[in-house]
């Protein structure tokens, strides 16, 4: 059960993959949601139609404040919270007060579940947060990373078209993630402003991600680009899997300056395409990166731009960083993630 | 746009994330500063090997910036590049800044007073709330379009004001030059009469 079962969303993809595997293992499994995206082949059912059953195990994907929380609390099922982290509301205060209020509600209501004997977290960072709130037993259920599908999609006509459009010897700086204040695409633009003007004018910035969830922030970015008079910045909006793969294939460096992430799947996707990753060290990002990539602890745009320059060309640093990233990716291979899910399902069944 | 400082508190019990220090724009970063800033956790890669390369490139960038009249410090801090004081009037600058800060504050929130009618009050509330939300949905769709339009207006105004400011500055300098020339001519003419 989750508040929104969307197309192309990491949490929704995780819920869909878990449903698929549970069915493969002989379980009956359905997805219930408040908002359902009908671009999905099987968009699930309205959560209000769910009839609780004490013999059922209900995994509640916890991502925001929602009327669903009170609904879940009333159910007789064995409830397992799967926490994907919630953006701190202060990031949204000046953009969308209602959205910020629902995030605040979500953070406050999380503690209502801490009495449960077992919970899941999407990352070590999320797990630590839950333990600090008083949750007793929290296991990490890693995210499935669809690298094989992404790499295959890059060979599609759409993927190849985008890759060839951008592979012209220019430095392509990429970030993938919906346009949101906590993801700090504005800081990425400031970095690119420095890089483009003082390091390499044959460069472009590609920001892949939908701007629909917080349109005010997207507009702020567009005004920023006007004021800075900055060319060669592409805000792609929502893209298909094939197009996303094309952008990864075309990228030279992946730059993440987020100030709040629970996990950040695109970091690993970029690694899968042998793109060196440079990221700001905040919240869940260093946990996801492990011992790979390059982290910066302060946002000096000149230093970040210079690191991009070192990583963008065929230098020993670039090769070493890519090698470290390939080692990191082995921790997220599909088979070990499936085994992890199997262990968590066995644990949940002990509780039921 | 200026890089705004934001202190973001993490969740309870979790180390708060790093925050930016907007005033930190010392151009001459020491090797210790750079080593403290850059983290590579792979034990086979030594940050100390990279730091001298970063410093050398930063110095080259600063030289390039000086050569083309760009304000390197402003760029490093994420500000709009400018090598001179703003030609704009203070009031105009303030108003422009207020426009930038408020162009998108057009969205409405739910503001529903509780019904005081006894017994049927909760039922009335259950009917009113979805109706209000439905109205809000359409109003906010329009507000979104208004916000987008406002963004374009703010952008156009900013460009127009900047152009006018630059033109004013150019004319001011031209007037100053002509004034000096006129004074010179008058002095020469007076000298000849005497």
């Amino acid at each position: 059960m989750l508040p929104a079962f969307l197309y192309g969303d990491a949490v929704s993809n995780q819920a869909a993959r878990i449903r698929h595997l549970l069915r493969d293992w002989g379980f009956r499994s359905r997805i219930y949601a408040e908002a359902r995206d009908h671009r999905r082949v099987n968009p699930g059912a309205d959560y209000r139609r769910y009839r609780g059953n004490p013999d059922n195990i209900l995994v509640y994907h916890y991502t925001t404040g929602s009327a669903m929380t009170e609904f879940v609390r009333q159910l007789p099922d064995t409830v397992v919270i799967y926490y994907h982290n919630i953006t701190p509301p202060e990031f949204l205060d000046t953009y969308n007060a209602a959205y910020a209020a629902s995030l605040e509600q979500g953070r406050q209501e999380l503690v209502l579940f801490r009495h449960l004997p077992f919970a899941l977290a999407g990352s070590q960072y999320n797990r630590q947060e839950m333990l600090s709130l008083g949750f007793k037993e929290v296991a990490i259920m890693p995210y499935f990373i669809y690298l094989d599908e992404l790499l295959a999609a890059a060979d599609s006509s759409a993927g190849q078209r985008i890759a060839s459009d951008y592979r012209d010897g220019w430095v392509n700086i990429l970030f993938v993630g919906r346009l949101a204040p906590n993801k700090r695409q504005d800081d990425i633009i400031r970095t690119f402003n420095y890089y483009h003007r003082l390091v390499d004018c044959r460069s472009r910035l590609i920001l892949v991600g939908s701007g629909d969830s917080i349109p005010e922030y997207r507009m702020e970015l567009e005004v920023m680009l006007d004021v800075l008079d900055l060319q060669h910045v592409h805000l792609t909006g929502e893209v298909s899997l094939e197009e996303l793969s094309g952008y990864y294939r075309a990228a030279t460096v992946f730059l993440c300056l987020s100030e709040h992430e629970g996990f950040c799947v695109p970091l690993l996707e970029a690694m899968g395409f042998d793109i060196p990753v440079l990221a700001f060290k905040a919240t869940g990002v260093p946990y996801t990166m492990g011992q790979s990539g390059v982290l910066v602890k302060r946002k000096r745009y000149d230093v970040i731009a210079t690191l991009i320059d070192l990583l963008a060309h065929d230098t020993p640093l670039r090769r070493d960083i890519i090698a470290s990233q390939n080692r990191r990716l082995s921790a997220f291979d599909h088979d070990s993630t499936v085994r992890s899910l199997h262990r968590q399902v066995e644990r949940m069944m002990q509780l039921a | 746009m200026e890089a705004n400082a934001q202190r973001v508190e993490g969740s309870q019990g979790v180390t708060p994330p790093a925050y930016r220090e907007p005033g930190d724009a010392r151009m001459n970063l020491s090797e210790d500063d750079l080593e403290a800033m850059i983290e590579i956790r792979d034990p086979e890669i030594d940050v100390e090997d990279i730091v001298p390369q970063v410093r050398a490139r930063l110095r080259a960038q600063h030289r390039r910036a000086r050569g083309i009249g760009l304000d390197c410090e402003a760029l490093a801090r994420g500000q709009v590049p400018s090598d001179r004081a703003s030609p704009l009037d203070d009031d105009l600058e303030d108003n422009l800044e207020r426009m930038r800060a408020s162009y998108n504050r057009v969205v409405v929130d739910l503001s529903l007073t509780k019904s005081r009618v006894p017994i049927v009050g909760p039922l009335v509330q259950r009917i009113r709330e979805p109706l209000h939300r439905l109205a809000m949905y359409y109003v906010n769709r329009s507000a979104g379009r208004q916000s987008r339009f406002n963004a374009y207006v703010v952008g156009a105004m900013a460009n127009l004001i900047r152009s006018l400011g630059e033109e004013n500055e150019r004319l001011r300098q031209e007037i100053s030059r002509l004034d000096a020339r006129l004074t010179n001519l008058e002095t020469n003419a007076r000298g000849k009469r005497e």
Side-chain angles (χ1 to χ4, degrees):
Chain A
M1 196 172 280
L2 64 168
F5 188 41
L6 304 173
Y7 178 79
D9 163 70
V11 173
S12 302
N13 289 343
Q14 185 76 348
R17 179 53 64 114
I18 290 172
R19 174 181 62 183
H20 176 79
L21 285 166
L22 287 171
R23 288 177 176 176
D24 276 354
W25 295 338
F27 294 99
R28 288 174 60 194
S29 179
R30 290 200 72 184
I31 287 177
Y32 294 85
E34 188 171 8
R36 292 171 298 131
D37 193 329
H38 289 270
R39 286 176 294 179
R40 284 204 169 261
V41 171
N42 186 349
D46 189 312
Y47 80 99
R48 287 165 294 196
R49 293 174 56 190
Y50 180 72
R51 297 288 169 261
N53 186 326
D55 294 332
N56 287 354
I57 296 170
L58 186 134
V59 176
Y60 181 22
H61 291 266
Y62 200 86
T63 60
T64 185
S66 162
M68 189 178 280
T69 294
E70 191 51 38
F71 180 85
V72 168
R73 289 184 68 219
Q74 307 302 322
L75 292 172
D77 305 44
T78 298
V79 174
V80 175
I81 294 290
Y82 185 179
Y83 183 51
H84 300 280
N85 217 301
I86 296 177
T87 304
E90 49 265 36
F91 282 108
L92 276 298
D93 279 341
T94 57
Y95 295 96
N96 189 324
Y99 188 8
S102 71
L103 295 174
E104 178 63 33
Q105 177 193 345
R107 285 189 156 258
Q108 286 179 7
E109 289 180 342
L110 180 59
V111 296
L112 297 175
F113 294 100
R114 62 184 171 188
H115 65 283
L116 296 176
F118 179 71
L120 296 172
S123 66
Q124 177 65 12
Y125 177 73
N126 295 352
R127 178 176 179 270
Q128 283 187 3
E129 187 176 325
M130 295 175 83
L131 292 174
S132 72
L133 290 172
F135 282 81
K136 299 182 191 56
E137 182 186 342
V138 183
I140 297 172
M141 178 55 230
Y143 292 99
F144 289 94
I145 310 296
Y146 303 91
L147 275 178
D148 289 342
E149 291 179 23
L150 272 172
L151 288 165
D155 292 330
S156 65
S157 57
Q160 286 185 12
R161 176 180 51 78
I162 286 174
S164 67
D165 281 350
Y166 289 105
R167 286 185 113 167
D168 50 5
W170 282 37
V171 172
N172 295 318
I173 301 167
L174 175 71
F175 176 69
V176 174
R178 62 191 175 86
L179 304 184
N182 56 295
K183 293 184 186 287
R184 300 314 302 238
Q185 282 95 347
D186 56 303
D187 278 340
I188 297 178
I189 289 173
R190 290 185 184 93
T191 304
F192 179 70
N193 187 37
Y194 185 99
Y195 184 87
H196 190 72
R197 291 180 195 279
L198 284 179
V199 180
D200 189 347
C201 60
R202 287 167 49 88
S203 57
R204 56 173 71 86
L205 173 62
I206 305 169
L207 297 175
V208 174
S210 170
D212 292 345
S213 61
I214 308 162
E216 299 87 351
Y217 183 65
R218 186 199 164 107
M219 285 178 231
E220 181 175 306
L221 296 179
E222 289 172 347
V223 170
M224 192 176 180
L225 292 173
D226 276 339
V227 170
L228 290 173
D229 192 24
L230 196 53
Q231 308 297 317
H232 305 295
V233 177
H234 302 258
L235 273 62
T236 68
E238 193 173 344
V239 301
S240 66
L241 185 73
E242 292 76 16
E243 290 166 332
L244 174 63
S245 304
Y247 286 116
Y248 276 127
R249 201 41 67 89
T252 318
V253 174
F254 189 90
L255 177 64
C256 173
L257 297 180
S258 280
E259 289 180 5
H260 184 272
E261 294 283 355
F263 183 80
C264 197
V265 167
L267 294 172
L268 298 179
E269 291 175 346
M271 292 182 193
F273 279 84
D274 284 345
I275 306 163
V277 174
L278 173 59
F280 179 57
K281 186 180 180 183
T283 58
V285 169
Y287 295 91
T288 304
M289 301 270 288
Q291 291 194 325
S292 71
V294 180
L295 294 168
V296 288
K297 290 186 270 189
R298 275 175 29 217
K299 287 186 180 178
R300 271 290 297 257
Y301 304 110
D302 51 350
V303 175
I304 297 171
T306 305
L307 288 168
I308 291 172
D309 193 36
L310 282 173
L311 292 168
H313 304 288
D314 189 20
T315 59
L317 178 65
R318 179 184 174 89
R319 291 192 291 273
D320 290 343
I321 291 297
I322 289 173
S324 75
Q325 291 174 177
N326 287 334
R327 289 191 288 274
R328 177 59 177 156
L329 276 178
S330 62
F332 295 94
D333 75 275
H334 187 262
D335 288 346
S336 32
T337 311
V338 171
R339 284 194 294 273
S340 180
L341 176 63
H342 202 266
R343 280 196 299 275
Q344 309 319 333
V345 170
E346 283 181 341
R347 180 74 185 101
M348 286 188 266
M349 288 179 67
Q350 288 170 359
L351 298 167
Chain B
M1 281 188 187
E2 292 212 7
N4 297 315
Q6 271 191 335
R7 174 99 198 192
V8 180
E9 297 297 332
S11 305
Q12 293 174 15
V14 176
T15 306
Y19 62 97
R20 281 168 289 126
E21 299 145 64
D24 180 26
R26 287 179 295 115
M27 295 316 296
N28 298 317
L29 292 168
S30 69
E31 302 224 340
D32 285 344
D33 291 335
L34 287 170
E35 271 186 49
M37 220 181 279
I38 302 167
E39 184 172 321
I40 298 177
R41 295 160 153 191
D42 187 329
E44 294 180 21
I45 305 172
D46 196 342
V47 171
E48 287 184 15
D49 293 340
I50 297 156
V51 162
Q53 297 177 59
V54 173
R55 281 197 84 200
R57 286 171 194 238
L58 284 172
R59 274 192 230 107
Q61 289 153 23
H62 299 166
R63 280 196 300 272
R64 194 174 311 139
R66 280 196 298 273
I68 57 178
L70 277 180
D71 186 342
C72 201
E73 183 177 325
L75 280 173
R77 286 199 290 173
Q79 291 173 343
V80 176
S82 170
D83 57 352
R84 52 186 161 76
S86 168
L88 299 181
D89 173 77
D90 281 351
D91 282 345
L92 194 52
E93 184 84 70
D94 281 348
N95 282 322
L96 186 57
E97 206 45 54
R98 284 196 202 101
M99 282 172 69
R100 285 187 183 126
S102 63
Y103 73 90
N104 59 351
R105 296 198 180 141
V106 290
V107 173
V108 298
D109 296 327
L110 185 68
S111 173
L112 198 61
T113 51
K114 275 195 174 350
S115 172
R116 294 179 191 277
V117 177
I119 301 172
V120 298
L123 177 63
V124 167
Q125 208 65 5
R126 283 175 69 177
I127 295 168
R128 285 175 71 204
E129 188 174 325
L131 289 174
H132 276 243
R133 288 195 186 279
L134 186 62
M136 270 172 60
Y137 169 75
Y138 285 103
V139 168
N140 281 335
R141 277 179 68 171
S142 177
R145 286 193 283 271
Q146 180 66 53
S147 187
R148 194 174 185 85
F149 172 75
N150 291 353
Y152 294 140
V153 170
V154 171
M157 288 286 290
N159 285 334
L160 184 63
I161 290 168
R162 186 175 61 216
S163 302
L164 287 172
E166 286 168 359
E167 181 66 10
N168 278 353
E169 181 63 22
R170 190 190 68 75
L171 289 170
R172 239 196 304 268
Q173 289 175 5
E174 180 73 9
I175 289 169
S176 182
R177 189 184 65 78
L178 289 170
D179 208 26
R181 196 173 163 211
L182 185 61
T183 305
N184 202 29
L185 287 169
E186 283 174 343
T187 306
N188 288 345
R190 210 177 296 122
K192 281 181 182 168
R193 277 198 297 272
E194 288 163 3

